[in-house]
PDB file of all heavy atoms in Angstrom:
ATOM      1  N   HIS B 285      43.125 108.430 130.411  1.00 75.00           N
ATOM      2  CA  HIS B 285      43.125 109.517 129.437  1.00 75.00           C
ATOM      3  C   HIS B 285      43.407 110.854 130.015  1.00 75.00           C
ATOM      4  O   HIS B 285      44.057 111.708 129.439  1.00 75.00           O
ATOM      5  CB  HIS B 285      41.807 109.544 128.608  1.00 75.00           C
ATOM      6  CG  HIS B 285      41.791 108.483 127.570  1.00 75.00           C
ATOM      7  ND1 HIS B 285      40.894 108.449 126.548  1.00 75.00           N
ATOM      8  CD2 HIS B 285      42.592 107.402 127.361  1.00 75.00           C
ATOM      9  CE1 HIS B 285      41.116 107.423 125.770  1.00 75.00           C
ATOM     10  NE2 HIS B 285      42.147 106.767 126.293  1.00 75.00           N
ATOM     11  N   SER B 434     138.228  91.421  99.327  1.00 87.00           N
ATOM     12  CA  SER B 434     139.092  92.563  99.761  1.00 87.00           C
ATOM     13  C   SER B 434     139.743  93.290  98.557  1.00 87.00           C
ATOM     14  O   SER B 434     140.322  94.367  98.751  1.00 87.00           O
ATOM     15  CB  SER B 434     140.156  92.076 100.696  1.00 87.00           C
ATOM     16  OG  SER B 434     141.001  91.136 100.032  1.00 87.00           O
ATOM     17  N   ILE B 450     129.949 104.401 103.608  1.00 90.00           N
ATOM     18  CA  ILE B 450     130.752 105.030 104.639  1.00 90.00           C
ATOM     19  C   ILE B 450     132.174 105.263 104.235  1.00 90.00           C
ATOM     20  O   ILE B 450     132.922 105.950 104.936  1.00 90.00           O
ATOM     21  CB  ILE B 450     130.664 104.258 106.008  1.00 90.00           C
ATOM     22  CG1 ILE B 450     131.050 102.792 105.842  1.00 90.00           C
ATOM     23  CG2 ILE B 450     129.289 104.391 106.617  1.00 90.00           C
ATOM     24  CD1 ILE B 450     131.199 102.057 107.141  1.00 90.00           C
ATOM     25  N   LEU B 612     179.736 111.191  93.180  1.00 89.00           N
ATOM     26  CA  LEU B 612     180.048 111.511  91.799  1.00 89.00           C
ATOM     27  C   LEU B 612     181.044 112.679  91.762  1.00 89.00           C
ATOM     28  O   LEU B 612     181.174 113.495  92.696  1.00 89.00           O
ATOM     29  CB  LEU B 612     178.784 112.042  91.106  1.00 89.00           C
ATOM     30  CG  LEU B 612     177.630 111.017  90.913  1.00 89.00           C
ATOM     31  CD1 LEU B 612     176.390 111.764  90.387  1.00 89.00           C
ATOM     32  CD2 LEU B 612     178.020 109.912  89.974  1.00 89.00           C
ATOM     33  N   ASP B 657     137.736 111.753  92.426  1.00 91.00           N
ATOM     34  CA  ASP B 657     136.480 111.427  93.029  1.00 91.00           C
ATOM     35  C   ASP B 657     136.594 110.318  94.042  1.00 91.00           C
ATOM     36  O   ASP B 657     135.919 109.280  93.971  1.00 91.00           O
ATOM     37  CB  ASP B 657     135.419 111.119  91.989  1.00 91.00           C
ATOM     38  CG  ASP B 657     135.929 110.264  90.886  1.00 91.00           C
ATOM     39  OD1 ASP B 657     137.144 109.956  90.903  1.00 91.00           O
ATOM     40  OD2 ASP B 657     135.133 109.872  90.018  1.00 91.00           O
ATOM     41  N   PHE B 682     165.717 118.337  96.160  1.00 90.00           N
ATOM     42  CA  PHE B 682     165.674 116.863  96.067  1.00 90.00           C
ATOM     43  C   PHE B 682     164.510 116.280  96.971  1.00 90.00           C
ATOM     44  O   PHE B 682     164.632 115.211  97.476  1.00 90.00           O
ATOM     45  CB  PHE B 682     167.045 116.191  96.333  1.00 90.00           C
ATOM     46  CG  PHE B 682     167.745 116.619  97.561  1.00 90.00           C
ATOM     47  CD1 PHE B 682     167.610 115.874  98.740  1.00 90.00           C
ATOM     48  CD2 PHE B 682     168.650 117.686  97.601  1.00 90.00           C
ATOM     49  CE1 PHE B 682     168.318 116.238  99.892  1.00 90.00           C
ATOM     50  CE2 PHE B 682     169.335 118.015  98.720  1.00 90.00           C
ATOM     51  CZ  PHE B 682     169.162 117.318  99.880  1.00 90.00           C
ATOM     52  N   VAL B 750     166.427 103.768  84.980  1.00 90.00           N
ATOM     53  CA  VAL B 750     166.109 102.361  84.997  1.00 90.00           C
ATOM     54  C   VAL B 750     167.228 101.512  84.368  1.00 90.00           C
ATOM     55  O   VAL B 750     167.603 100.473  84.893  1.00 90.00           O
ATOM     56  CB  VAL B 750     164.757 102.085  84.300  1.00 90.00           C
ATOM     57  CG1 VAL B 750     164.462 100.613  84.193  1.00 90.00           C
ATOM     58  CG2 VAL B 750     163.652 102.841  85.073  1.00 90.00           C
ATOM     59  N   THR B 758     164.116  97.659  88.185  1.00 85.00           N
ATOM     60  CA  THR B 758     162.891  97.633  87.442  1.00 85.00           C
ATOM     61  C   THR B 758     163.141  97.372  85.940  1.00 85.00           C
ATOM     62  O   THR B 758     162.164  97.294  85.196  1.00 85.00           O
ATOM     63  CB  THR B 758     162.118  98.947  87.550  1.00 85.00           C
ATOM     64  OG1 THR B 758     162.997 100.018  87.074  1.00 85.00           O
ATOM     65  CG2 THR B 758     161.750  99.272  88.980  1.00 85.00           C
ATOM     66  N   PRO B 809     159.969 100.395 105.762  1.00 89.00           N
ATOM     67  CA  PRO B 809     160.477  99.066 105.528  1.00 89.00           C
ATOM     68  C   PRO B 809     161.563  98.756 106.546  1.00 89.00           C
ATOM     69  O   PRO B 809     162.338  99.632 106.905  1.00 89.00           O
ATOM     70  CB  PRO B 809     160.996  99.098 104.109  1.00 89.00           C
ATOM     71  CG  PRO B 809     161.353 100.489 103.866  1.00 89.00           C
ATOM     72  CD  PRO B 809     160.397 101.333 104.669  1.00 89.00           C
ATOM     73  N   PRO B 880     150.476  70.318  93.079  1.00 77.00           N
ATOM     74  CA  PRO B 880     150.626  71.088  94.345  1.00 77.00           C
ATOM     75  C   PRO B 880     150.211  70.241  95.533  1.00 77.00           C
ATOM     76  O   PRO B 880     149.356  69.391  95.446  1.00 77.00           O
ATOM     77  CB  PRO B 880     149.690  72.306  94.186  1.00 77.00           C
ATOM     78  CG  PRO B 880     148.695  71.860  93.179  1.00 77.00           C
ATOM     79  CD  PRO B 880     149.343  70.887  92.264  1.00 77.00           C
TER      80      PRO B 880
END
Side-chain angles (χ1 to χ4, degrees):
Chain B
H285 281 195
S434 63
I450 52 171
L612 297 170
D657 43 356
F682 53 92
V750 173
T758 60

